């Protein structure tokens, strides 16, 4: 059974760097074809894809946010880490990590709400 | 970026009636080499993460009731719930995975 859980700070100040960790179980990020993605959702708004890392360490980023994002994996710990620099109040959102199966996000974590405020 | 536009933004349907949600992409998401539409539908209930319902525009995810169906090709797609149940109240999102990933703005489905 696949599960994912996001963890990280609930409050960050403007200009700070956000670091979120996705800890998962039920699959291995060393298995061919597997990936883990990050998606966010501002309160009451739509979903926005941020980044994706594949089993072979290939990485993809949202073009509009690429300069601020870094995604890494630690296969031995079953974790994926997302960092986002220069946080702004408009980055306030629930951040989800999700398992990628053949280009689809089929299992999602419960999400973690990150508020950006001074 | 491929822009996904859903209509309507909100919809109220009586229990047992049909609900139809539309999604239009700014460019085709049909990949000619395999004749597949790279279009998915998700359901999100309050306080929950999205749940994958439909992929390849018309393939139901395992465990999804058969009252949910997807149709369309190219740039125009539809999610249909044939007989609305109370547990179907949610926000529905379309998503393209043809080029990166983008979501529609969501359609809120309520009971009339």
């Amino acid at each position: 059974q696949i599960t994912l859980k996001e963890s990280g700070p609930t409050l960050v100040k403007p200009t700070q760097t956000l670091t979120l960790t996705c800890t998962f179980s039920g699959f291995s990020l060393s298995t061919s074809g597997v990936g883990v993605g990050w998606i966010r959702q501002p309160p009451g708004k739509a979903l926005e894809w941020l980044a994706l890392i594949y089993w072979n360490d290939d990485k993809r980023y949202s073009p509009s946010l690429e300069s601020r994002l870094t995604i890494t994996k630690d296969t031995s710990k079953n974790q994926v880490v997302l960092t986002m620099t220069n946080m702004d109040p408009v980055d306030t959102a629930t951040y989800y990590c999700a398992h990628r199966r053949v280009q689809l996000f089929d299992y999602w974590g419960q999400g973690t709400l990150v508020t950006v405020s001074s | 970026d491929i822009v996904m536009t859903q209509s309507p933004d909100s919809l109220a349907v009586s229990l047992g009636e049909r609900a139809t949600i539309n999604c239009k992409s700014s460019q085709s998401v049909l990949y000619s080499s395999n004749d597949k539409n790279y279009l998915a539908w998700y359901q999100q209930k309050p306080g929950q993460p999205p749940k994958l319902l439909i992929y390849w525009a018309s393939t139901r995810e395992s465990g999804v009731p058969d009252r949910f169906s997807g149709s369309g090709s190219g740039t125009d797609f539809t999610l249909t719930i044939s007989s609305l149940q109370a547990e179907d109240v949610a926000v529905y999102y379309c998503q393209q995975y043809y080029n990166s990933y983008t979501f529609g703005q969501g359609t809120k489905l309520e009971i009339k």
Side-chain angles (χ1 to χ4, degrees):
Chain A
Q1 155 207 7
I2 290 175
T3 65
L4 305 98
K5 186 173 183 178
E6 306 87 353
S7 59
T10 57
L11 179 67
V12 297
K13 290 180 168 43
T15 75
Q16 286 187 336
T17 293
L18 172 68
T19 299
L20 294 173
T21 300
C22 176
T23 303
F24 56 86
S25 63
F27 66 96
S28 173
L29 201 37
S30 59
T31 300
S32 179
V34 173
V36 172
W38 286 93
I39 302 100
R40 71 178 179 179
Q41 185 173 38
K45 296 189 176 180
L47 300 158
E48 179 184 22
W49 171 72
L50 302 176
L52 175 63
I53 190 164
Y54 294 92
W55 80 101
N56 59 0
D57 211 37
D58 192 13
K59 299 162 189 178
R60 295 287 183 266
Y61 297 101
S62 166
S64 62
L65 292 167
E66 183 166 8
S67 63
R68 299 173 53 204
L69 296 173
T70 303
I71 190 169
T72 60
K73 64 181 175 72
D74 186 331
T75 305
S76 64
K77 292 183 178 179
N78 281 352
Q79 291 182 332
V80 170
V81 175
L82 180 76
T83 61
M84 180 180 291
T85 60
N86 195 25
M87 293 292 284
D88 182 272
V90 300
D91 297 313
T92 294
T94 295
Y95 287 76
Y96 296 100
C97 63
H99 170 268
R100 173 197 175 272
R101 178 198 88 205
V102 192
Q103 299 168 290
L104 298 163
F105 296 118
D106 57 350
Y107 291 91
W108 296 57
Q110 285 299 307
T112 185
L113 176 62
V114 178
T115 301
V116 184
S117 175
S118 54
Chain B
D1 279 10
I2 298 177
V3 178
M4 308 300 291
T5 303
Q6 294 179 226
S7 62
D9 289 333
S10 63
L11 180 63
V13 175
S14 300
L15 290 172
E17 296 299 305
R18 177 185 300 260
T20 301
I21 299 169
N22 301 301
C23 175
K24 189 174 185 68
S25 57
S26 60
Q27 65 186 75
S28 176
V29 297
L30 173 61
Y31 193 40
S32 56
S33 67
N34 60 9
D35 200 32
K36 286 183 179 289
N37 287 283
Y38 284 54
L39 189 285
W41 289 95
Y42 292 83
Q43 174 193 65
Q44 187 178 32
K45 296 181 178 179
Q48 296 185 19
K51 173 188 175 183
L52 177 63
L53 294 177
I54 303 275
Y55 57 96
W56 301 131
S58 61
T59 301
R60 263 190 308 276
E61 175 73 335
S62 174
V64 173
D66 61 6
R67 64 180 180 273
F68 290 91
S69 63
S71 62
S73 184
T75 61
D76 292 280
F77 301 91
T78 300
L79 174 70
T80 301
I81 307 172
S82 59
S83 177
L84 188 70
Q85 305 299 304
E87 62 264 32
D88 300 335
V89 169
V91 179
Y92 292 84
Y93 293 94
C94 62
Q95 176 214 30
Q96 67 81 19
Y97 47 100
Y98 180 90
N99 181 359
S100 188
Y101 299 91
T102 49
F103 294 85
Q105 81 276 18
T107 295
K108 186 175 185 179
L109 178 58
E110 299 173 311
I111 305 293
K112 185 187 290 183

